[in-house]
Amino acid sequence: MAQQFLTKTFSDGARTGPTLPQRIILSEGWTRRAIAFAAGAVGALALAPVDFSPAMFVTLCVAVWLIDGSAAARGDGGFAHLAASMRRAAGAGWWLGFGYFLAGLWWLGAAMLVEPDQFAWALPLAVIGAPAVLALFPALGFALARALWSGGSARIFTLAAGLGASEFLRGSLFTGFPWNDFGMALAAVPYLDQTASLVGLHGLDILAVILFAAPATLIDGRRRPTPALAIALALAAAMAGYGGLRLGAGETEYVEGVKLRLMQPNLPQDAKFKPENGPAILGRYLELSDRAVAPGRSGVADATHLIWPESAFPFILSRDPDALTRIAATMRGAILLTGAARVEESASDARRADGERRTKIFNSILAIRDGRIVAAYDKTHLVPFGEYLPLSKLLAPLGVTQLVPGVWDEGTGPRRFAAPGLPLAAPLVCYEAIFPAETAEPLGERPQWLLNVTNDGWFGATSGPYQHFAQARLRAIEEGLPLARVANTGISALVDPYGRVLERLPLGVDGVIDARLPRAIQSPPFAAHPFRWTSTLWFFTIIFALFGRFRGLAGSTSGRVGAR
């Protein structure tokens, strides 16, 4: 069927000269690779901070035409031809993914230049190596799509099923990395982003492919909109209508008696982990936290709770009574929530060879009242190569080290944080905010807000902090929970449970936000049953794809019978 589609397309083009889509379908060799790479790179414009969502039309329409062209792979027919065409599609998918991730994740290299004497050697691995590995996932998605490819409108759903599956795997395998999913192109579109409350990020992946790839079917020779385009337009209208109704009916309400102060210090990253800077850093935090921002205001005395960012201190706070005393004197009764390293001696069965107990070190959030630590949460989802070294026995002898110094241990959960005077929170330390369905566990008491502390200072004034904030904001929509986010260099913000940004401090400034804590809303479908509606959406997408595939096979078979 795909070969018949190509034959018809080329014969139509022969009368008028090949169109741009036909040129892409016919492309070979390095021309084909360059087209795929460029199309992927254009798609990164749909991501934060540019948020030009229409750029994804280019990426996904070109994806359709590249897979159309994969039918031209050499083969003896049957399985051999299918295998060859899947390899050809996978190659195009890898180049498109490489362009997409290179343009979207180039900022990873900034972290290697914070301490260039130690990590400059890893710059090519971060900037080129990581995108090259991540591109294997869209390559898989293209290959899966090509296995069920057909010549009509149904191939849009085939692509959505293939890329939907590969994006889910990217967010799950090897601890997962769901950063810059294709669905994030919808996360910045007003009203359309509210669909995340139904299907989450991975459901948006499927919908984004359907919406942005559908115009590719306009080359199919029809004088009216194709079925895929009609369905895409209906989907967009339904999503916009749902979002409008949800936002129109959703008023922001607030928790009584809670006054938050979010402090963004904008501290240079190269100074943050030097112990000799500890007293000066603490002094800066205390001065900024107690700063009066308007006449008649009294600084931290106006707040019930003060929040500081991740890894606030280059020392162990629990082992420094002088620091705790200084904090208590400044807080004047307010409770401090702060990122900090936390130590804990392991049980006796984990003794070192010399007989001493091994001390565990966690990346934590602490609650401090009157100079005492009264609650703690330990980060459970560590950053590979940042906080731990994967395959350490293999890589460590080669001189490969992790970015953040020290041996960090994985917390055991649960993802709950009970600070005095506040509703139960779902704590998210930095990287943990990018994972859907991990923020609010379905068992036990439901958290009433999301607390995200992070340190994006590693990435400077790049697109990385904007992308990180966009993903954290999407968690609020998915879970129906307000988000208080405090970042070292930005972006710090208060977001309501519908994803509306109520207060915000931009990247690269110091300052404070004084705000009330919004109330949670009733659990949206995604929060109540994570991935139920996502898997249902993927199931129906597969049904459409299979219908188109077998309908195409039936048409091809009847054509051969009629020719005899």
Side-chain angles (χ1 to χ4, degrees):
M1 182 65 181
Q3 190 64 49
Q4 292 178 351
F5 166 74
L6 288 177
T7 301
K8 181 180 184 302
T9 300
F10 298 157
S11 62
D12 289 347
R15 293 191 293 267
T16 60
T19 63
L20 177 61
Q22 291 165 353
R23 290 180 185 275
I24 294 172
I25 293 171
L26 288 165
S27 62
E28 296 285 347
W30 282 104
T31 300
R32 177 178 167 85
R33 298 182 188 109
I35 290 171
F37 177 86
V42 168
L45 295 174
L47 306 171
V50 179
D51 289 328
F52 184 64
S53 296
M56 195 59 73
F57 283 114
V58 175
T59 301
L60 293 175
C61 285
V62 169
V64 173
W65 299 327
L66 288 169
I67 301 178
D68 284 339
S70 299
R74 292 186 176 88
D76 297 329
F79 179 78
H81 179 267
L82 176 62
S85 65
M86 288 177 66
R87 288 194 299 271
R88 182 173 166 88
W94 187 88
W95 280 101
L96 183 142
F98 184 52
Y100 179 71
F101 291 118
L102 187 66
L105 295 174
W106 60 270
W107 49 267
L108 287 173
M112 307 302 130
L113 299 178
V114 172
E115 296 178 331
D117 56 323
Q118 297 185 48
F119 298 107
W121 62 270
L123 188 62
L125 296 178
V127 176
I128 298 176
V133 172
L134 293 172
L136 294 173
F137 289 96
L140 173 63
F142 273 45
L144 292 174
R146 182 62 191 91
L148 297 176
W149 205 246
S150 60
S153 284
R155 69 192 195 278
I156 302 305
F157 301 96
T158 307
L159 179 61
L163 287 179
S166 65
E167 289 290 74
F168 179 81
L169 291 175
R170 180 162 69 90
S172 306
L173 296 180
F174 313 113
T175 77
F177 189 68
W179 194 292
N180 287 357
D181 277 35
F182 291 115
M184 289 304 297
L186 296 176
V189 181
Y191 304 117
L192 300 188
D193 58 357
Q194 296 301 306
T195 304
S197 67
L198 301 175
V199 297
L201 171 62
H202 295 306
L204 290 186
D205 290 335
I206 297 170
L207 293 171
V209 177
I210 295 172
L211 296 181
F212 291 114
T217 61
L218 292 175
I219 69 166
D220 293 356
R222 299 176 182 266
R223 294 184 179 181
R224 57 186 178 181
T226 64
L229 188 57
I231 291 173
L233 292 172
L235 271 176
M239 291 169 66
Y242 170 75
L245 290 173
R246 189 168 192 263
L247 291 174
E251 294 185 3
T252 305
E253 299 180 352
Y254 296 91
V255 177
E256 294 293 334
V258 175
K259 298 178 181 179
L260 301 179
R261 169 163 277 212
L262 284 55
M263 189 276 293
Q264 179 172 298
N266 194 35
L267 191 70
Q269 185 59 36
D270 56 359
K272 197 168 179 63
F273 286 103
K274 295 180 179 179
E276 62 271 20
N277 295 334
I281 290 173
L282 179 58
R284 174 176 172 80
Y285 280 14
L286 294 173
E287 182 276 328
L288 183 57
S289 297
D290 201 29
R291 182 181 297 175
V293 295
R297 304 299 296 272
S298 302
V300 75
D302 296 325
T304 60
H305 297 81
L306 171 68
I307 308 177
W308 288 353
E310 177 194 15
S311 303
F313 317 101
F315 56 87
I316 304 300
L317 184 60
S318 61
R319 293 180 174 177
D320 194 327
D322 291 338
L324 290 171
T325 299
R326 293 178 65 188
I327 290 172
T330 303
M331 293 300 100
R332 287 175 282 173
I335 295 171
L336 173 65
L337 312 180
T338 181
R342 191 182 76 85
V343 299
E344 178 183 280
E345 288 192 347
S346 64
S348 58
D349 60 356
R351 293 178 183 271
R352 300 198 305 254
D354 59 6
E356 294 292 328
R357 284 187 176 183
R358 177 187 175 277
T359 298
K360 289 187 175 182
I361 304 178
F362 301 99
N363 188 355
S364 304
I365 301 176
L366 306 178
I368 301 172
R369 179 171 63 179
D370 298 329
R372 295 181 297 109
I373 298 172
V374 295
Y377 163 77
D378 302 321
K379 187 176 184 179
T380 62
H381 207 142
L382 303 182
V383 182
F385 297 101
E387 293 169 315
Y388 77 97
L389 185 64
L391 304 173
S392 58
K393 292 183 179 179
L394 175 65
L395 298 177
L398 300 177
V400 179
T401 60
Q402 64 197 56
L403 187 62
V404 180
V407 179
W408 295 89
D409 291 282
E410 182 180 342
T412 57
R415 196 178 297 285
R416 297 290 186 271
F417 188 73
L422 284 170
L424 188 66
L428 303 167
V429 180
C430 188
Y431 183 68
E432 293 179 318
I434 73 172
F435 293 94
E438 285 196 11
T439 55
E441 299 167 3
L443 300 178
E445 183 182 355
R446 184 192 182 212
Q448 297 298 295
W449 62 298
L450 304 174
L451 170 60
N452 178 211
V453 300
T454 187
N455 177 22
D456 291 343
W458 291 101
F459 307 113
T462 67
S463 55
Y466 294 95
Q467 294 171 7
H468 198 185
F469 173 64
Q471 292 175 101
R473 174 185 165 273
L474 196 65
R475 301 291 86 78
I477 299 175
E478 290 173 342
E479 300 293 345
L481 298 177
L483 166 71
R485 184 176 197 266
V486 182
N488 171 30
T489 57
I491 301 165
S492 299
L494 191 72
V495 180
D496 82 355
Y498 299 95
R500 293 178 291 213
V501 180
L502 305 177
E503 301 284 349
R504 172 174 174 153
L505 282 172
L507 183 65
V509 303
D510 61 41
V512 295
I513 291 174
D514 289 316
R516 294 180 294 166
L517 177 65
R519 287 187 182 275
I521 59 174
Q522 183 178 358
S523 294
F526 181 80
H529 303 286
F531 301 120
R532 173 184 291 183
W533 295 107
T534 308
S535 57
T536 301
L537 175 62
W538 189 81
F539 173 78
F540 279 105
T541 304
I542 280 285
I543 293 298
F544 277 117
L546 290 173
F547 176 77
R549 173 65 171 169
F550 290 113
R551 183 182 180 187
L553 288 175
S556 177
T557 302
S558 63
R560 288 197 299 269
V561 171
R564 291 177 180 175

